Amino acid sequence: MLPARKLGLVRKQLLAWFRQFQRDLPWRRTRDPYRIWLSEIMLQQTRVAAVIPYYERFLERFPDVRALAEAPQEEVLRLWSGLGYYSRARNLQRAAQEIVAKYHGKFPRDFDEALALPGVGQYTAAAILSIAYGAKHAVLDGNVARVLARLGAIRGGLHEAKRWRELRERADTLLDPKSPGEWNQAMMELGAVVCTPRAPQCFLCPIAKFCRARQLGLADRLPEKRKKRATEEVTLAAAVFLDPRGRTFLLPPSTLKTRRATKNEIAPLVSKMWHFPTVRVRKHAAGELQSFLAELIPAVANHGVRLEPLSEARHAVTYRKITLLPFRATLAALPAVSCAKVVALTDVSSLSSLAVSNLTRKIARAALVPRAAAAAAR
Ligand code: SF4
């Protein structure tokens, strides 16, 4: 590790760079732990530019922990809709309820208490407590780990337990005890804009002269790649029922009461939000969807339904690559389906009264393409 004098210089130079060049982001203008917490959760797996409008809309509707704790979950999900990884929103609200119940609406200052909140891991707890309260906890996520691995020219997979522990020790040693919140943000900023995963811009780096990877000519070869989880191909068929008034229905998020309405294996992909009747198919999409609908809807079981194939769409969720095969079923009247909600399908935004995922939006978009255009696209 660096001797004390060099350590002091690294801290001084990185902080000076951060103070001068940091991006002006809405969550950097506050020390309110609620706002910092919200930004940290939204930023998980999501780009800064995508987060900003969601962050601002969310805060307009839920300006503090109590407003979030008391809101209907449906509304929280609706405002999250499009940002993906919806368990983040559910956990956020559960944590808000816990903060109101146990901590009088104030985000806890104690690290272990913060860590015990739903959806708050080591990184998030360290980020919130250091930025909001000035607590001395160093952050360590993939972004910061990459910077540390390059600074120390650390080889091997960073996520191996032993190496991660080593990185944690390095992060703790580097942390500036006088400005831990600012230091953590400076490390994150360096990783986000200069020491990027590909083609790090070492010529702009404020701490380049302390970087071992740069000295060894290894900057763009570290960290070493880890093996990716194999991609799973999934095909889903979905039915969009339409009546002559352009109305359709969606099935509710899965609950014990409604679980039969969605095959469990696709539950994580669609059924935690409002969704069209959807089933995983293997060979004969229309036939398998027909059988699924017959189980779900008595009228379809009795008379069948004509399924008109629409344009395919693609979707990806973590390691799953999904092919979506939407079908339109035009009927004189929508069938009665327990717990379903009827909505007008005039455009994709007409679904915005419900919490829906991007997958459902893609299916809706396919159903809105006029028949001739859909036929030409097939
Ligand atoms: S010199 Fe290059 S590799 Fe090293 S920390 Fe700076 S940007 Fe990253």
Side-chain angles (χ1 to χ4, degrees), residues 150-151 194-195 202 205 208 211 214 219:
R150 287 175 176 162
L151 276 175
V194 175
C195 194
C202 304
C205 179
C211 178
R214 185 167 196 231

Side-chain angles (χ1 to χ4, degrees), residues 12-26:
K12 197 170 150 200
Q13 290 183 13
L14 184 61
L15 282 174
W17 168 84
F18 180 66
R19 285 169 188 149
Q20 191 177 355
F21 296 110
Q22 64 175 295
R23 291 166 295 171
D24 178 26
L25 302 174

Side-chain angles (χ1 to χ4, degrees), residues 17-318:
W17 168 84
F18 180 66
R19 285 169 188 149
Q20 191 177 355
F21 296 110
Q22 64 175 295
R23 291 166 295 171
D24 178 26
L25 302 174
W27 44 88
R28 289 201 175 141
R29 299 176 211 138
T30 180
R31 300 287 292 270
D32 176 355
Y34 169 65
R35 287 168 185 249
I36 293 160
W37 170 38
L38 175 65
S39 71
E40 288 299 335
I41 301 295
M42 284 190 164
L43 286 164
Q44 290 167 6
Q45 325 264 358
T46 314
R47 286 175 307 109
V48 166
V51 164
I52 292 174
Y54 281 91
Y55 174 82
E56 286 172 344
R57 265 200 306 272
F58 202 90
L59 283 174
E60 242 172 60
R61 170 60 188 86
F62 310 118
D64 53 39
V65 178
R66 282 180 198 281
L68 175 59
E70 288 161 11
Q73 191 194 62
E74 180 69 24
E75 203 181 345
V76 176
L77 291 174
R78 194 171 57 76
L79 280 163
W80 202 275
S81 183
L83 206 53
Y85 302 98
Y86 297 93
S87 57
R88 293 184 296 176
R90 293 188 186 92
N91 282 334
L92 189 75
Q93 190 181 31
R94 281 175 46 219
Q97 288 159 348
E98 233 177 279
I99 291 171
V100 169
K102 284 195 192 163
Y103 306 112
H104 311 288
K106 287 206 107 188
F107 197 94
R109 284 173 175 267
D110 179 81
F111 191 82
D112 291 331
E113 287 176 352
L115 203 55
L117 294 168
V120 177
Q122 298 258 353
Y123 168 86
T124 313
I128 300 166
L129 298 188
S130 64
I131 299 169
Y133 299 139
K136 292 174 197 157
H137 301 292
V139 291
L140 181 64
D141 66 348
N143 199 29
V144 172
R146 179 178 63 254
V147 177
L148 293 172
R150 287 175 176 162
L151 276 175
I154 296 173
R155 297 178 184 250
L158 300 189
H159 290 271
E160 286 165 26
K162 187 170 145 250
R163 203 149 293 116
W164 195 258
R165 272 199 303 278
E166 186 190 342
L167 290 167
R168 173 150 298 292
E169 277 166 26
R170 284 175 184 252
D172 290 340
T173 311
L174 273 183
L175 181 78
D176 187 327
K178 288 196 230 106
S179 315
E182 220 179 358
W183 173 261
N184 280 334
Q185 291 180 84
M187 285 292 281
M188 297 180 212
E189 188 78 348
L190 188 73
V193 302
V194 175
C195 194
T196 45
R198 261 170 281 159
Q201 301 186 62
C202 304
F203 60 96
L204 294 176
C205 179
I207 50 175
K209 69 174 176 212
F210 306 102
C211 178
R212 287 286 295 148
R214 185 167 196 231
Q215 287 157 12
L216 298 169
L218 293 173
D220 50 8
R221 275 188 271 155
L222 292 180
E224 288 170 0
K225 303 263 175 296
R226 67 170 158 164
K227 279 194 195 133
K228 269 194 175 172
R229 182 172 180 170
T231 307
E232 185 189 339
E233 302 271 350
V234 177
T235 305
L236 299 180
V240 181
F241 285 79
L242 281 172
D243 72 4
R245 289 162 63 191
R247 298 181 315 163
T248 187
F249 70 83
L250 296 186
L251 298 175
S254 179
T255 61
L256 279 179
K257 227 168 104 196
T258 60
R259 190 158 289 160
R260 275 197 56 226
T262 305
K263 297 278 183 195
N264 280 340
E265 60 179 339
I266 60 155
L269 303 177
V270 294
S271 71
K272 288 185 177 171
M273 311 283 278
W274 287 87
H275 56 284
F276 293 107
T278 305
V279 67
R280 183 171 185 170
V281 292
R282 296 201 154 74
K283 279 190 179 156
H284 306 292
E288 289 167 52
L289 180 60
Q290 190 76 252
S291 312
F292 170 64
L293 294 173
E295 260 182 54
L296 180 69
I297 307 168
V300 175
N302 295 337
H303 309 293
V305 66
R306 203 177 80 76
L307 293 172
E308 176 199 344
L310 303 166
S311 304
E312 273 184 38
R314 307 258 164 211
H315 190 69
V317 179
T318 58

